[in-house]
Amino acid sequence: MQQERGVLYVVATPIGNLADISARAVQVLSEVDLIAAEDTRETLRLLNHLGVSARLLACHDHNETVATARLLSVLEGGRDVALVSDAGTPLISDPGYRLVAAARERGLKVVPVPGANAAICALSAAGLPSDRFLFLGFPPRTRSRRRAWLGEVVDEPGTLLLYESAKRVMETLQDLQAVMGDRRRLVMARELTKRFETFLVGCPSELVARLESDQEQRLGELVILVEGRRGDTDAGGSAEQERVLRILAEDLALSQAAALAARLTGAKKNRLYRLGLDLGLGAKGD
Ligand code: SAM
């Protein structure tokens, strides 16, 4: 007779407020044979709070290949495993993809146990359009790569969702302004579900000014939401339009640069002119 195989549960945990754990997550965590955790110490804190004792195995970016092999053999051996990350939903800017993909490839049963996710939590209360959105995860850390990365989504009409560390948030806000202009509404959702939960709303330069004047706003965990492109009323241009405009504005007055860039890219001259102003390219005579 064929041995029954185990189930892999992908379990979401709170992103701050421990009361957000679901009753089903607690039940699964208490019943599985093994918990695969991004950071076993972090998960132990949660389990102690819940009064659950369990066997833990570390599964993070640096050991995912070895841990995956081990976990697959546990599952093949008929034992159930729960995958958790430090906070929120595993795999979402967190480890676990390889394990889930490998489990599915082998025909193992994979069961989601849903719960908190910082991006969706932020979107649900930000007041930006939620009918269409694009989750981008963390931006690259260097300025040039970050700007190129933002340039790829400048034409996206849906709300953009970004994770960022408090350490780099100022630079990322400045790059958002440089690449998308200063007209879009941004929401910075900080410390969600925690004591100092804050939603800051404004265009990029307003948020930069707010963070400059209030150091508290540069602490903790945060999600940045960016209003999507709004057709011709949006001063943001595509990465290519901006590139052409920047080159021409090096030698020409902005009005001439915008007129020429409009002929080269097919964009409207007025929009490129406004984009140039937002990008601070308007110093040469207009
Ligand atoms: N898997 C997690 C999820 O489902 O949201 C995300 C993990 S990712 C490594 C951590 C990032 O999520 C943080 O840098 C921050 O951008 C965001 N984040 C996590 N908790 C948050 C919170 N309480 N408030 C705001 N952002 C949070």
Side-chain angles (χ1 to χ4, degrees):
M1 202 175 74
Q2 208 184 354
Q3 191 189 9
E4 212 175 291
R5 302 197 304 165
V7 175
L8 174 62
Y9 294 93
V10 183
V11 181
T13 54
I15 55 167
N17 190 331
L18 295 185
D20 289 337
I21 188 105
S22 75
R24 185 165 166 236
V26 178
Q27 188 188 347
V28 167
L29 292 175
S30 355
E31 288 177 2
V32 289
D33 301 288
L34 182 64
I35 298 178
E38 182 185 6
D39 178 342
T40 50
R41 282 166 310 175
E42 193 67 40
T43 300
L44 206 52
R45 264 197 287 276
L46 174 68
L47 295 177
N48 286 341
H49 168 84
L50 299 172
V52 168
S53 60
R55 269 184 64 212
L56 289 166
L57 177 85
C59 177
H60 44 67
D61 285 340
H62 305 293
N63 79 342
E64 210 180 335
T65 310
V66 177
T68 294
R70 181 123 176 250
L71 290 163
L72 288 172
S73 84
V74 169
L75 289 160
E76 303 273 15
R79 282 171 292 161
D80 294 340
V81 172
L83 170 68
V84 296
S85 60
D86 288 354
T89 304
L91 276 79
I92 311 301
S93 293
D94 265 339
Y97 164 70
R98 268 190 229 152
L99 174 62
V100 170
R104 284 235 167 255
E105 259 167 40
R106 290 177 186 223
L108 287 158
K109 191 167 175 188
V110 183
V111 174
V113 181
N117 164 253
I120 298 299
C121 175
L123 182 66
S124 73
L128 289 177
S130 54
D131 53 336
R132 168 173 171 150
F133 60 87
L134 182 62
F135 173 68
L136 296 169
F138 286 97
R141 292 183 179 196
T142 60
R143 177 146 268 172
S144 58
R145 287 183 54 221
R146 193 163 50 232
R147 288 194 178 191
W149 182 83
L150 290 171
E152 285 170 20
V153 292
V154 80
D155 288 328
E156 166 59 41
T159 297
L160 305 173
L161 310 180
L162 283 73
Y163 285 159
E164 188 50 290
S165 82
K167 225 166 52 188
R168 278 180 287 278
V169 64
M170 278 295 246
E171 290 180 2
T172 296
L173 290 173
Q174 287 159 354
D175 289 344
L176 276 164
Q177 179 177 357
V179 174
M180 302 196 183
D182 203 24
R183 288 169 183 250
R184 296 195 192 198
R185 249 183 327 154
L186 261 56
V187 176
M188 203 182 97
R190 201 173 64 84
E191 293 290 90
L192 292 163
T193 77
K194 302 186 206 173
R195 182 159 168 224
F196 295 108
E197 179 177 273
T198 321
F199 284 80
L200 296 182
V201 184
C203 64
S205 62
E206 286 169 340
L207 291 193
V208 166
R210 179 71 201 271
L211 266 59
E212 267 165 0
S213 68
D214 183 356
Q215 299 286 319
E216 293 279 307
Q217 300 301 327
R218 293 161 74 171
L219 301 173
E221 297 192 283
L222 55 101
V223 181
I224 302 173
L225 301 95
V226 184
E227 183 180 28
R229 169 106 182 249
R230 286 176 292 141
D232 224 31
T233 58
D234 186 355
S238 72
E240 180 60 9
Q241 289 161 12
E242 182 187 326
R243 195 181 69 81
V244 170
L245 185 64
R246 279 186 186 280
I247 293 170
L248 294 171
E250 281 175 17
D251 296 313
L252 300 173
L254 181 56
S255 54
Q256 290 173 294
L260 204 50
R263 282 170 57 198
L264 289 167
T265 65
K268 291 222 167 84
K269 181 183 154 191
N270 285 350
R271 192 159 70 74
L272 291 175
Y273 185 77
R274 272 188 281 126
L275 173 62
L277 290 179
D278 283 340
L279 294 172
L281 305 176
K284 280 181 229 62
D286 52 2

